[in-house]
Amino acid sequence: QVQLVTSGGGSVQAGGSLRLSCAASGYTYSRICVGWFRQAPGKEREGVAGIGPGAGGSTYYADSVEGRFTISRDNYKNTVSLQMNSLKPEDTGMYHCAADPICARGLWYSMMKADFSYWGQGTQVTVSS
């Protein structure tokens, strides 16, 4: 079974940066599909960013974060990171990483449907004005 450990959350002022990490055990990131999701109180869960299997992997970004967030993988460390720059108060929420062996229906589908087999415990991100 794949286990995901999420870290890197915290509190930051608007315009600041945070880097979230999702470390996996029990599977190889080179062929695993990984997504980041967030949910704020009173709001629906939103797919933030994702990366597909393969050498570099295709990527997905929500319109609200594109240009500010970057997802990347380190296969040697079995870690997927989410670099978050120019943070806004609306980015506040609980961030979860999720993984699937391959995202058989495609990364976009998996992100839209939150169709992942494994989920991490989440880390809180709070952005203040």
Side-chain angles (χ1 to χ4, degrees):
Q1 182 177 353
V2 175
Q3 294 183 336
L4 305 176
V5 179
T6 308
S7 62
S11 297
V12 65
Q13 292 185 342
S17 299
L18 287 172
R19 186 176 180 87
L20 307 184
S21 295
C22 180
S25 63
Y27 214 86
T28 302
Y29 261 157
S30 63
R31 292 187 176 275
I32 202 169
C33 190
V34 178
W36 285 97
F37 297 81
R38 69 186 180 191
Q39 187 168 25
K43 297 183 179 180
E44 296 184 356
R45 179 175 56 191
E46 175 188 21
V48 177
I51 187 166
S58 59
T59 57
Y60 166 90
Y61 295 99
D63 290 342
S64 60
V65 307
E66 192 163 15
R68 299 187 297 118
F69 291 11
T70 302
I71 189 170
S72 61
R73 73 164 89 239
D74 185 332
N75 291 331
Y76 181 78
K77 297 181 179 180
N78 265 2
T79 300
V80 168
S81 298
L82 183 67
Q83 179 67 43
M84 307 186 296
N85 297 326
S86 301
L87 284 163
K88 305 175 181 179
E90 64 194 69
D91 295 318
T92 294
M94 181 68 70
Y95 284 68
H96 295 264
C97 67
D100 190 83
I102 194 171
C103 289
R105 298 187 182 185
L107 178 61
W108 186 89
Y109 176 91
S110 293
M111 293 301 299
M112 294 298 102
K113 301 296 183 180
D115 186 21
F116 289 82
S117 299
Y118 307 98
W119 292 79
Q121 83 281 10
T123 185
Q124 178 67 35
V125 171
T126 302
V127 184
S128 60
S129 301

